[in-house]
Amino acid sequence: MAKVLVIGNGAREHAMGRQLLLSKQVEKVYCAPGNLGMLASGIEIVPISELNFEKLIEFAKEQEIDLTVVGPELPLQQGIVDNFIASGLNIFGPSQAAARLEGSKEFAKKIMREAGVPTAKYASYQDEEAAVQALAEVTYPVVIKSDGLAAGKGVVIVENQKQAKITIHQMLGEHQFDTKSIIIEEFLMGQEFSLMAFINDDQIIPMPLSQDHKAAYDGDRGPNTGGMGAYSPLSQFPADLADQGVEKIIRPVIQTLQRNGISFCGVLYAGLIMTEAGPQVIEFNVRLGDPETAVVLPQLQSDLYELLQRLLEHRDVEAKWQASDVYLGVVVSSETYPQASASGVELASFNNNPSDITVNYAGVAQNENGELISNGGRILCLTTSASSIAQAQSTLYYWLAQHKMTGLRYRYDIGDKGK
Ligand code: AMP
Ligand code: GLY
């Protein structure tokens, strides 16, 4: 029987651990550093930081871990996969070189241009004056992005030249986002959605399409967050859109990386916008999405552990996904999120969910009585499935209404765009 190590500590990693435990081949799932909410699902948490590669490798060797799977972007950007492989360990995730597809927007744009993949027109600048001069040519709204990881906060959609100049100054003059260069990009209009795929070079296994809700408040208003909820699959789009996305976007990108001497193993996440001219890429991530994972992975009816192992060994893989229901996930966050984290709200009532509701925990801690309390921005994600979005919403929102929400909040419109 196999032992698996999941790296990360959020609701995404809770959902990953839960899915891996369903495998008949898996006896134990560890999560480092994990969170206390995972314990009730039978996941063992290991108090090692996701960036302490030396200690993680020591642990994987001591415990004879058969497979390590990485959730978040930061360890990937810092080369966790290269380090594990150099130590002779089996790990599913992209190398540091491949992870630049997420870590550098400029690198991602270069690969997309070479691959002929549809994406917004853009230009990049290191110099504030040159960027401001370029504004003479743009039509508003326009998108200004800092290059590098910024937890969703390095992207500003500006409506006029005044706003644009302020944003450019913040990014290149005051260096508010720890960036040396910015991208000024054409604004694309349409519904956003996510296409994720398990990949080992030429082997590409697409997952069902999903849709995140990035804005903090109902009606897509307010600041960008890590994601306030998601649903999957997306019945408003053609049934073959995921396969089209693989052939027109994912495969050309993987092949272009290969031509540049970079092989890709792991999950590729294409953040897409359905424009009048078809899907265009907004961003790539090199990992599973959060909260998308909570509504996508439970749809897998075949064995996730086997799928990942077979991919790593370049053996034939088939994934079987459910096709009758829609999966809906609503994130409960601290009231002050994304501006600030908060803690101390008791979460005991979320431990007695009805059997059709699953909870994946994120920002949680324990009080002095050993009870789970909130501690962070995004606290947990509740998911359910039903034959329609309306039915799934009614189940989840009815249940949420039973809880005392002081200090916490959630969006009331998750899934509305798919109805
Ligand atoms: P990113 O960090 O590149 O994923 O951007 C964060 C969010 O900004 C996206 O989820 C979109 O909502 C929005 N965004 C980014 N680029 C564009 C674009 N070119 N056109 C319209 N919206 C965009
Ligand atoms: N849900 C967006 C992300 O994981 O980046």
Side-chain angles (χ1 to χ4, degrees), residues 346-369:
E346 284 179 21
L347 303 172
S349 61
F350 289 104
N351 268 337
N352 301 311
N353 296 312
S355 62
D356 56 350
I357 295 180
T358 303
V359 58
N360 290 306
Y361 286 103
V364 292
Q366 248 174 11
N367 65 14
E368 56 277 14
N369 304 323

Side-chain angles (χ1 to χ4, degrees), residues 32 38 65 81 152 190 317 368 390 395 405:
M38 295 174 173
I65 298 292
V81 171
V317 192
E368 56 277 14
T395 305
M405 280 288 160

Side-chain angles (χ1 to χ4, degrees), residues 224-236:
N224 248 352
T225 69
M228 295 299 294
Y231 65 101
S232 171
L234 306 180
S235 60
Q236 66 270 43

Side-chain angles (χ1 to χ4, degrees), residues 140-408:
Y140 293 93
V142 76
V143 187
I144 303 182
K145 302 184 178 188
S146 68
D147 197 24
L149 295 178
K153 290 172 199 147
V155 176
V156 186
I157 296 165
V158 296
E159 303 289 340
N160 53 50
Q161 200 178 41
K162 191 174 161 212
Q163 268 184 342
K165 280 184 179 165
I166 293 171
T167 305
I168 290 169
H169 183 66
Q170 285 170 342
M171 290 184 180
L172 288 177
E174 297 169 1
H175 297 288
Q176 282 190 8
F177 293 97
D178 189 26
T179 185
K180 288 195 181 63
S181 69
I182 62 164
I183 282 172
I184 300 185
E185 180 174 295
E186 170 196 13
F187 176 77
L188 299 174
M189 204 137 74
Q191 264 194 53
E192 280 184 64
F193 64 103
S194 313
L195 168 59
M196 303 189 283
F198 297 108
I199 296 172
N200 196 359
D201 279 333
D202 298 329
Q203 287 173 284
I204 301 176
I205 315 289
M207 302 179 219
L209 298 177
S210 56
Q211 189 171 58
D212 188 9
H213 296 64
K214 285 195 174 144
Y217 310 118
D218 283 19
D220 290 337
R221 286 175 303 110
N224 248 352
T225 69
M228 295 299 294
Y231 65 101
S232 171
L234 306 180
S235 60
Q236 66 270 43
F237 295 132
D240 66 346
L241 186 57
D243 290 334
Q244 270 186 47
V246 167
E247 295 317 320
K248 294 206 174 112
I249 292 164
I250 292 191
R251 197 177 302 282
V253 162
I254 298 297
Q255 287 171 344
T256 305
L257 283 175
Q258 279 172 332
R259 274 199 302 278
N260 281 269
I262 300 170
S263 63
F264 192 100
C265 176
V267 170
L268 184 60
Y269 165 133
L272 305 169
I273 280 193
M274 185 52 110
T275 69
E276 277 177 0
Q280 300 216 30
V281 178
I282 312 179
E283 61 160 350
F284 284 116
N285 296 323
V286 294
R287 50 166 178 87
L288 287 163
D290 190 354
E292 290 94 327
T293 302
V295 293
V296 169
L297 274 194
Q299 296 185 62
L300 185 63
Q301 292 176 330
S302 44
D303 185 318
L304 177 60
Y305 177 76
E306 193 181 326
L307 185 153
L308 299 178
Q309 287 288 37
R310 291 185 73 99
L311 262 184
L312 280 164
E313 292 160 12
H314 284 293
R315 286 154 72 198
D316 282 346
V317 192
E318 245 186 282
K320 196 163 170 274
W321 302 95
Q322 72 83 33
S324 57
D325 283 2
V326 60
Y327 283 65
L328 185 80
V330 176
V331 169
V332 174
S333 74
S334 288
E335 194 148 37
T336 48
Y337 178 71
Q339 286 83 4
S341 299
S343 63
V345 181
E346 284 179 21
L347 303 172
S349 61
F350 289 104
N351 268 337
N352 301 311
N353 296 312
S355 62
D356 56 350
I357 295 180
T358 303
V359 58
N360 290 306
Y361 286 103
V364 292
Q366 248 174 11
N367 65 14
E368 56 277 14
N369 304 323
E371 290 159 346
L372 221 50
I373 53 168
S374 69
N375 183 32
R378 289 191 291 181
I379 305 303
L380 55 91
C381 178
L382 287 182
T383 60
T384 195
S385 61
S387 57
S388 71
I389 289 179
Q391 183 58 49
Q393 284 178 326
S394 122
T395 305
L396 272 193
Y397 285 123
Y398 174 80
W399 178 238
L400 277 163
Q402 315 299 308
H403 295 266
K404 218 170 114 222
M405 280 288 160
T406 318
L408 302 175

